[in-house]
Amino acid sequence: MMEEKQEAGAPDKIKPPTEPEGSGELETRIKKYLRGDGANLEALRDKKLRGQLTVREKLYGKSAEAAAKAEKWLMPSEGGYLEAEGIEKTSRIRQESIAREVDISSSRNQYDIVLPDLGPYTLDFTSSGRYMAAAGRKGHLAIVDMKNLSLIKEIQVRETVRDVVFLHNELFFAAAQKKYPYIYNREGIELHCLKEHGAVLKLQFLKNHFLLASINKSSQLHYQDVTTGLMVGNFRTGLGRTDVMQVNPFNGVVALGHSGGTVTMWKPTTSAPLVKMLCHRGPISALAFHPNGHIMATSGKERKIKIWDLRKFEVLQTLPGHANTLDFSQKGLLAAATGSFVQILGNFSESQSYSRYMTHSMAKGYQINKLLFRPYEDVLGIAHSMGWSSILIPGSGEPNFDSWVANPFETSKQRREKEVRSLLDKLPPETIMLDPSKIGTVKPPSRKQKPTKQERESEMEAAVAAVKDMPMKKKTKGRSKPSKSAKKKQEIIAKTKRPFLEQQTKEEEALSRKKQKMSEEAELPKSLQRFARKKAT
C-alpha cells in the first residue's frame, strides 16, 4: 500500500532525466563557455591568493557548466544544414524542393520583388534582422518590416542612390546619393546633408563606435561621429577610385579593395593604412569578413576567390571562380555571386577548406548587385538589376538570439533603453586597432624613457639629502661621540651613492668599448670591414 501511495504522489517529485557529467557533448559545451584554460595556480607562493583564485576558478567552472546545460535544455531551437543521401549532392537541391518541405512562416521568406524601372538595387539589414532598407539606383528608398513583410515607408529622392546603410537602429538610415550622403529618419524626413563626404560610392556604419565611414570618388576615406557630428578622420588613400569597402566586426577596422590587387586596412586615428597586403594580381572586386573577424574572403578579376587568415596574413584556400559580391553568414557560410548565379560555400570539416554547399540561378537577365544574409534567419537577400529577392539557405543564421545584443521582437521601450545603454557604452575611436586584446595592457619602457645623466645625478643628490637629514640614534658608553656619528653618517652616504655610481661606471665602460670597436673598424675601408677577422671575446 505504501508503494502504491508513493507512485500516485505529487508530480513535482518527478525529475527530468539527468545527463552523465562526464559525457563528451557536455564537456565540449563547457569548453566553449570556459573561454580558454584556467590559470596555473601551483606556481603561486602566496597561499591566501592561491586559495582565493582557486575558489574563483571553481565558480567559473560552475557557471560554464550551468550555461552549457541551459544551452542544451533551454535553447529554443538548433541550427541544421541540408544533408544529402547516397550519391545526392546538396548543391543540386533547388528552392522549389525546399519550399515544399518547410513550414508556412519560412516559406514566406521566398519571394521576388520586381521593380525593373528603378534598379539596380542594394539593401541592408538591421543587426536584429527585422528591418530591411532597399535603395534603387534611380532614387527609390524603402524601409520594410521583415517580420510581417509590410512596407513602412518609401520615398523617391529623384537622383542617383549608390548605397544605403542603417545607423544604430531602424529609426535612422544613410543614403549615398549623387552629390552627397543624406541621413533620413524612419518617416523619410531628411535630417542631415553630409557635404564634407562628397560624392560617396560606399557607406559603412561602425555600431560600437557610432561612426559613419564612407569612400568617395576622389578616393577619400571619411569617418564621422553621428552622435556629435564631428569629423573624426579624413584621409586620402592614394590608390585610386574604389567601391569595395567592408568593416571587420571583430575590431572595427575598415578594409578597402583597390584596382592594384591590394587590400588596405584603416582606422580613424592614423593617416596611413595599418596593413597593406597584396591579395590578387588583378583588381579587387569584392571582400567580406567572417563574424569572428579572423577570416577574410577576397575576389579578384583574375577569376580567383581566396580565403585569408588575418592572424598570420596568409592564404588558407584558393578557389576558382569570380564574384562581384561576397558575404559571410552568422554560422560561417560564404555566399558569392556573379552575373545571375549564386553559390554558397560551407566549411564542414575541421580543416579550413570551403566546398560548394548550395547554388541558385536567377532569371535570365538579372544582374546581381549585392548579397546579404539576414541575421538570425536562414535567409539570403539578393539585390539585383530588376529588384530584390529572398531565398532560403538552411543553416546560415544563428538559431538563438541574445536579447541584450539583438532582439527581433523588441518593443519601443526596449529600443529606447537599448539606445541609451549603447550610447553610454560607446567606444572612442582610439580603441580601433588590429588586436583589440592589447587594450588595457602596459607598454614596456622604451630606450627614450630611460633616465638621463642629469636626472640620475639629481636623484642621487635627493637620496643623499634625505640621508643627511635623518636623525642618528643616541647610544650610551661613549658610542655617540661626534666623531663616531660623523663617520657613521659618511658610511651611510657612501652606501646610498654606491648603486648610482655603479650604474654610471657600467655605462661609461659600455661607451668606451663601443668607441674602441668603432675606431678599430675605421682603420679599414668601409668596403673591406665585413672581411675583418672578429676577435674572440
Side-chain angles (χ1 to χ4, degrees), residues 473-486:
K473 290 184 179 180
K474 293 183 179 182
K475 298 182 180 180
T476 56
K477 297 181 181 180
R479 289 187 292 176
S480 292
K481 291 180 180 180
S483 59
K484 289 190 176 182
S485 298

Side-chain angles (χ1 to χ4, degrees), residues 245-262:
M245 182 182 186
Q246 198 67 32
V247 174
N248 191 334
F250 174 65
N251 48 23
V253 172
V254 171
L256 299 175
H258 302 280
S259 59
T262 58

Side-chain angles (χ1 to χ4, degrees), residues 369-384:
N369 186 37
K370 186 175 182 180
L371 294 177
L372 199 61
F373 282 100
R374 182 180 165 192
Y376 303 102
E377 293 285 347
D378 293 344
V379 174
L380 175 64
I382 304 173
H384 47 78

